[in-house]
Amino acid sequence: MPFFTEVSVDQILFALLNGTIYGLLLFMVSAGLTLIFGMMGVLNFAHASFYMLGAYFAYTLEPLTGFWMAIILAPILVAGIGILVERFILRHVHEHGHAHELLVTFGLAVVIAEIIKMVYGKFAVDYRVPVELNFAAFSLSGIDYPFYRLLMGGIAIVMFVAIYALLTKTRVGIVVRSAIYRPQMVEALGHNVPVVFMGVFGIGAALAGLAGAVAGAFYTTNPNMALELGVMVFVVVVVGGLGSMGGAMAASLLIGITNSLAVGSDFRIADLMAFVGMGGWADDIGGLLTMRMSSLAATLPFFIMLLVLVLRPSGLMGEKE
Amino acid sequence: MALVLGAATAAQAEPLKLALVETLSGPQASTGLLYRDAVKYQIGKINEAGGFGGAPIELLEYDNQGGPVGAADRVRAAISDGADVILQGSSSAVAGQVTEDVRKHNLRNPGDEVLYINLGSEAMELTGAKCHYYHFRTSPNAAIRVNTLLDGMSEAGVLGDKVYAMNQNYSWGIDVQDNTAAAADRLGFEMVEKTLHDVNKIQDFSPYVQRVQAAGADTVITGNWSNDLLLLMKAAGSAGLDVRFGTAFLDQPGNIGNAGAVAEGHFLSASFNPEVNPEKTDAFMEDYKSVTGHYPSYVEPTAVFGMMLLQGALKQVEPTEDGLNASDLAAALENASVETPMGTLSMRGADHQAILPMIVQEVSRNAKHKSDGTEFGFVPVKVISAADAEQPVQDSCQMKRPG
């Protein structure tokens, strides 16, 4: 039995590219989550709901404004909602501690999902990639690579660079970063810290909204999309280290690529044991030992999270507190 | 005291209580709510025709929250609320739990049995290893779905030589995979590869599409439903992959609207198509719409037909003092048959699997009834009669009959 099934270079190339782009999408959503956590210490359960809102807003706006305007306007609307949430809900419960904030955002996620179901119905809506963007970027051994995927990846990279530059190279970034560590000091220097927090929350929500507006057209826009991506986004943020932007990027790519490679692999633990002459025994035992890697692919991120939490509880790039 | 009261009111027996144990909230609620619409519609019809034993039938609703754990709890509640019949349909995982709970309840409470009418959970084990006298499946099963689908596609000349089986990793998906593999010799195709993947967890199907491409498949046979079907199909479409999909649940609302032209030419085997027998079907469609507000689609027609079968069986049963004797109803259901707009639906006594006509259909612009407001709909390619669609009783079904 071959240790690895025969795969061509093209296939591995595709798997890497697929994984990278999926990872970049995960990053787009988790960037806002990790930003908000880093600053306010709030793990925002409703964050993936902003992703969903972005998709539905873009779907609603597209017939009126066209696709490009829709994906620009949708995140702005989501940012507005994010700001309202911070100003009128989170700020009120802030004094009661983190547990309350957590519960409020959890409730918010449920409420948003139900409102979406009431307004748009229970099933997927027909938000699709516009025809003029729906073409193959290139073709490798008979399989097309959709241009739109590259576009999604490109938008994520531009976003990463922009946030990174904003936080490290500008005055606003300096104020934001210092507000994270020494809010009282920053306030004493005459900066309005609550407004800074509100702004960052809004930007975090907008990033998720942008991801939703772009990815909703490629995947599906349905009332469950927050739930589907939400879990993965938490895994990314935990693996990357809560509050670390670079960590979120690294973890997103790690999860995207391992997932993509695992799907293409028929590797079984029994094959590994065959090297020490125990292959037959493992085949007889069956169960987990003969499970193909490909059918475990969606479980791998959770395994990675477990591993990271055991070996390095603060995450790949998180700072020890 | 209770005895005296019971005797005094024997003329107007307790109303028959049907308990719908479905997923009514959470991510998978959309299908559960369709079952509710269908069941309510047909119970309305039964009650218009006089109900059962002179009283209208009562429908109790229980939310199983999408999982076997919730279902076990809700089944207990339904039985203690006096339900005579449990109705469920939207998940084989849940059905596996419900059927076991009903079986155990009936073992422990002889004389006070409860029936389980399975309106749409299609895993083979439910009429196989887990079959029992009080479970009735009124929908097709995995063997019927897959074999009619493959036969229809093969006859239409679109099956191709290389078939890939892509399925969700649980009882239903595994059944679809096994039945696809079993038909390979009969229909002369090669099953190039099979994949089982996690259920409704995957966002990005492009790695799976890449595997299909690498295997050189002409056709993908999949039992996937909901997002797992939609995302797989869209990923294949955007990769420019030239494969045809043979599916069991492509008619779920939203699928055609979301996939658009990507769905064109893909196949479905289902127990309903709006273009078959229009003289009866049109009336059914319009009446259903006037009651529920929408045309019947996806699981709804089959659920309605299942309830029609129950209605027919109820006519054969005499109400008793405390309402209904479940064993009488089970005996009547065993040999029940009913005329639906699609043809004859009948119950097979040996394993309590419904025998019903199946329609192999293709997504096309020529459909008379369009789906989701698109230009596409399902055109019948071949109507397979109940007799031809029938699949043998599984050896694993060892049904113990009362008495």
Side-chain angles (χ1 to χ4, degrees):
Chain A
M1 188 174 292
F3 184 51
F4 284 108
T5 42
E6 284 172 42
V7 281
S8 66
V9 179
D10 284 3
Q11 275 171 286
I12 291 185
L13 212 63
F14 256 117
L16 287 176
L17 197 57
N18 278 333
T20 307
I21 302 249
Y22 182 55
L24 286 171
L25 170 75
L26 286 178
F27 167 74
M28 267 205 274
V29 187
S30 37
L33 184 66
T34 206
L35 193 68
I36 291 169
F37 181 86
M39 190 190 61
M40 307 168 76
V42 179
L43 199 52
N44 179 14
F45 268 104
H47 192 73
S49 304
F50 293 136
Y51 166 76
M52 175 161 75
L53 282 177
Y56 274 97
F57 285 159
Y59 160 69
T60 315
L61 288 170
E62 193 193 359
L64 307 171
T65 64
F67 181 74
W68 291 108
M69 271 316 274
I71 62 168
I72 293 170
L73 289 176
I76 296 174
L77 284 176
V78 177
I81 291 182
I83 286 172
L84 292 178
V85 165
E86 200 282 332
R87 176 68 186 79
F88 293 105
I89 301 178
L90 272 180
R91 205 176 289 180
H92 280 288
V93 293
H94 186 71
E95 56 200 82
H96 299 293
H98 286 338
H100 282 73
E101 289 174 320
L102 216 71
L103 289 172
V104 161
T105 58
F106 186 75
L108 198 65
V110 176
V111 169
I112 291 176
E114 290 304 317
I115 291 177
I116 289 284
K117 278 185 207 167
M118 265 191 270
V119 178
Y120 293 97
K122 302 180 292 272
F123 299 102
V125 294
D126 56 347
Y127 181 38
R128 290 194 291 260
V129 175
V131 185
E132 66 269 20
L133 295 177
N134 201 358
F135 58 89
F138 57 91
S139 198
L140 262 184
S141 59
I143 195 159
D144 292 345
Y145 205 84
F147 167 75
Y148 198 82
R149 284 187 79 96
L150 296 181
L151 182 74
M152 288 198 295
I155 290 176
I157 292 172
V158 169
M159 209 177 89
F160 177 69
V161 173
I163 301 172
Y164 205 81
L166 185 77
L167 283 179
T168 54
K169 304 272 185 257
T170 66
R171 250 192 101 72
V172 179
I174 293 171
V175 173
V176 168
R177 279 186 298 145
S178 39
I180 295 171
Y181 291 103
R182 295 277 179 273
Q184 273 101 2
M185 193 61 210
V186 174
E187 206 152 32
L189 288 172
H191 295 286
N192 190 343
V193 172
V195 168
V196 171
F197 278 15
M198 197 167 77
V200 172
F201 200 89
I203 289 173
L207 295 180
L210 175 64
V214 175
F218 189 76
Y219 297 115
T220 56
T221 299
N222 68 57
N224 301 332
M225 61 193 289
L227 206 70
E228 284 152 7
L229 203 71
V231 182
M232 208 46 74
V233 168
F234 275 106
V235 173
V236 165
V237 172
V238 171
V239 169
L242 285 160
S244 159
M245 193 63 71
M249 183 54 126
S252 301
L253 291 176
L254 175 70
I255 285 172
I257 291 171
T258 41
N259 183 59
S260 179
L261 289 175
V263 168
S265 157
D266 278 329
F267 170 75
R268 308 174 313 156
I269 297 178
D271 299 338
L272 194 66
M273 297 182 90
F275 277 107
V276 286
M278 290 169 76
W281 171 80
D283 274 329
D284 290 342
I285 300 280
L288 203 60
L289 296 180
T290 54
M291 195 97 120
R292 283 159 190 264
M293 188 74 121
S294 54
S295 57
L296 291 174
T299 321
L300 272 182
F302 300 97
F303 182 70
I304 294 176
M305 178 166 82
L306 196 75
L307 213 65
V308 167
L309 283 177
V310 169
L311 298 177
R312 199 181 149 80
S314 57
L316 293 180
M317 299 192 188
E319 291 159 27
K320 283 234 164 76
E321 297 198 8
Chain B
M1 177 66 185
L3 204 73
V4 177
L5 258 178
T9 56
Q12 32 174 304
E14 242 183 75
L16 175 63
K17 286 180 181 166
L18 307 185
L20 179 72
V21 180
E22 260 304 338
T23 311
L24 303 176
S25 67
Q28 297 309 331
S30 51
T31 308
L33 293 168
L34 289 180
Y35 276 108
R36 181 168 72 173
D37 285 348
V39 165
K40 271 188 170 169
Y41 167 81
Q42 194 58 26
I43 288 180
K45 297 283 154 202
I46 300 175
N47 286 342
E48 273 172 32
F52 178 72
I57 293 178
E58 266 183 46
L59 176 66
L60 313 173
E61 292 173 18
Y62 299 89
D63 181 7
N64 67 33
Q65 297 172 335
V69 182
D73 186 49
R74 299 291 89 195
V75 166
R76 261 200 305 278
I79 293 174
S80 67
D81 290 346
D84 304 288
V85 177
I86 309 276
L87 304 167
Q88 184 271 346
S90 73
S91 156
S92 285
V94 170
Q97 178 75 39
V98 173
T99 196
E100 277 299 287
D101 288 348
V102 167
R103 185 180 67 83
K104 286 176 191 157
H105 168 86
N106 291 343
L107 273 179
R108 290 166 191 157
N109 301 276
D112 189 22
E113 283 89 355
V114 173
L115 249 60
Y116 168 33
I117 312 259
N118 170 2
L119 298 167
S121 300
E122 304 194 6
M124 296 306 288
E125 60 173 10
L126 299 168
T127 49
K130 282 187 173 173
C131 84
H132 62 88
Y133 184 71
Y134 296 97
H135 163 267
F136 294 88
R137 170 155 51 201
T138 61
S139 71
N141 60 27
I144 295 177
R145 282 266 192 195
V146 173
N147 283 295
T148 51
L149 176 66
L150 292 170
D151 286 348
M153 289 181 79
S154 167
E155 213 163 291
V158 296
L159 187 58
D161 301 322
K162 293 182 169 178
V163 171
Y164 195 116
M166 174 85 72
N167 287 290
Q168 294 156 320
N169 197 0
Y170 77 114
S171 53
W172 154 254
I174 295 168
D175 285 344
V176 171
Q177 175 176 301
D178 292 348
N179 278 290
T180 309
D185 287 342
R186 181 168 63 84
L187 293 171
F189 63 81
E190 182 198 349
M191 190 153 120
V192 284
E193 231 188 291
K194 51 189 182 178
T195 298
L196 292 171
H197 59 74
D198 297 75
V199 185
N200 283 327
K201 268 193 199 147
I202 299 161
Q203 271 283 313
D204 193 15
F205 268 93
S206 40
Y208 293 88
V209 167
Q210 195 196 329
R211 286 199 74 154
V212 173
Q213 198 270 341
D218 302 313
T219 306
V220 176
I221 299 295
T222 175
N224 284 11
W225 41 268
S226 209
N227 242 0
D228 280 347
L229 176 59
L230 203 49
L231 289 171
L232 172 63
M233 224 164 51
K234 286 180 90 172
S238 63
L241 201 60
D242 187 24
V243 295
R244 197 180 295 271
F245 280 82
T247 70
F249 297 120
L250 188 53
D251 51 345
Q252 183 171 16
N255 277 1
I256 301 298
N258 195 285
V262 167
E264 191 176 13
H266 294 333
F267 272 65
L268 164 78
S269 176
S271 41
F272 181 78
N273 181 288
E275 290 183 29
V276 175
N277 300 332
E279 63 287 356
K280 287 181 188 166
T281 308
D282 286 350
F284 165 63
M285 300 264 294
E286 293 304 330
D287 188 57
Y288 193 90
K289 192 184 179 193
S290 72
V291 174
T292 63
H294 60 270
Y295 284 118
S297 66
Y298 193 38
V299 300
E300 290 173 295
T302 312
V304 170
F305 301 160
M307 294 300 289
M308 286 164 72
L309 190 75
L310 174 66
Q311 181 178 11
L314 281 172
K315 284 190 192 141
Q316 316 286 320
V317 178
E318 283 294 318
T320 60
E321 281 172 19
D322 43 326
L324 169 96
N325 186 338
S327 303
D328 294 347
L329 180 57
L333 261 175
E334 275 214 295
N335 304 304
S337 99
V338 67
E339 282 304 314
T340 72
M342 294 294 110
T344 309
L345 164 70
S346 58
M347 186 52 69
R348 178 164 69 189
D351 60 348
H352 295 182
Q353 166 63 47
I355 308 299
L356 71 178
M358 293 294 286
I359 297 101
V360 179
Q361 32 203 306
E362 182 181 2
V363 179
S364 156
R365 289 171 206 267
N366 301 325
K368 263 194 270 164
H369 291 266
K370 311 292 188 193
S371 304
D372 308 329
T374 62
E375 52 182 324
F376 300 100
F378 293 91
V379 173
V381 174
K382 183 177 163 60
V383 179
I384 298 178
S385 72
D388 290 338
E390 183 170 359
Q391 293 292 319
V393 177
Q394 299 168 76
D395 296 333
S396 52
C397 176
Q398 307 282 335
M399 195 183 289
K400 280 208 190 88
R401 285 158 195 285

